[in-house]
Amino acid sequence: MAQRAPIARQDRVVAWLLLAFMVLGSLVLWIGIPVFGLWALSKVTSSIGGHLLGAVLLIPPAMLAFSLALFWMNHLYFRVTGILGDEDDDEEGARRLRGPLEPILVFSLVAAVVSLVVWILFVSPNVPQLQVV
């Protein structure tokens, strides 16, 4: 196994910026796109059926397109840090690299779910009332 060369200072700065963009992008993926999509649909549609149909048909593809940009940033992070080189690794075959994006996505999903629960229980003006039968 070959030793990697040390990372230059400007490459470390770019790597940290990419990490910051991946964290912010993950939060946008789980919180920003659905909230903005629902808000935009509320301005365009007048019926609840149209709003629901638009949300089901438009928000998941928007999230998919944005996640492709996040995966591109993850790949760019591998290039900048030297994890992915230009040489071909035939002996390892098709290996799967796990980058920083995986834990970032999991953490941001948990943060989105927690913020949704906090919003529903404490902030929303229409707090659901649980009735015991």
Side-chain angles (χ1 to χ4, degrees), residues 34-48:
V35 168
F36 177 75
L38 291 173
W39 174 81
L41 285 168
S42 73
K43 300 298 180 192
V44 175
T45 61
S46 59
S47 70
I48 195 161

Side-chain angles (χ1 to χ4, degrees), residues 107-126:
F107 174 76
S108 62
L109 176 62
V110 170
V113 169
V114 167
S115 64
L116 176 67
V117 169
V118 167
W119 169 263
I120 289 172
L121 294 179
F122 301 112
V123 180
S124 175
N126 299 326

